[in-house]
Amino acid sequence: MSVLIKPIITEKMTADSELNNRYGFLVDPKANKIQIKDAVEATYGVSVKKVRTMNYGPTRKTRYTKTGIQHGKTNATKKAIVDVVEGDIIDFYSNL
């Protein structure tokens, strides 16, 4: 099971990483905080101080078409905000 799916690179998370040394990741919905901490430390070689998680449910949508009503939904996701120890940084742009 791959715990980390991708980093969250938005304007808000970039400002949070510069000011408060926090980084955001989309993670596997079944992963717990200990698994997320171990995965970030192994992947990026930093020391993790704290992990906060947020579960997002699926967004349900209904479309009215010629053939009838179509129901659909997006996948449920989980976000993790990782606090890194002072002095450690994660550079997402080094592998470009």
Side-chain angles (χ1 to χ4, degrees):
M1 169 173 89
S2 178
V3 176
L4 299 177
I5 297 172
K6 66 179 182 178
I8 300 171
I9 303 175
T10 59
E11 189 173 348
K12 188 174 183 179
M13 280 310 308
T14 304
D16 207 21
S17 66
E18 291 172 357
L19 298 175
N20 301 322
N21 227 15
R22 291 186 199 135
Y23 298 92
F25 295 94
L26 278 179
V27 296
D28 183 45
K30 296 177 182 174
N32 59 26
K33 293 182 181 186
I34 298 167
Q35 292 171 335
I36 295 167
K37 178 181 177 180
D38 292 340
V40 170
E41 287 177 346
T43 306
Y44 295 103
V46 295
S47 298
V48 175
K49 183 169 42 173
K50 188 176 187 180
V51 176
R52 285 175 281 187
T53 59
M54 298 173 274
N55 283 310
Y56 287 93
T59 303
R60 299 179 192 283
K61 295 181 180 181
T62 304
R63 254 190 320 257
Y64 298 98
T65 62
K66 282 193 274 186
T67 58
I69 298 174
Q70 301 290 321
H71 298 285
K73 68 178 183 70
T74 60
N75 293 330
T77 58
K78 187 174 195 176
K79 291 182 185 179
I81 307 299
V82 177
D83 285 0
V84 178
V85 176
E86 289 294 325
D88 287 349
I89 59 169
I90 298 175
D91 188 16
F92 294 127
Y93 302 107
S94 64
N95 297 344
L96 294 179

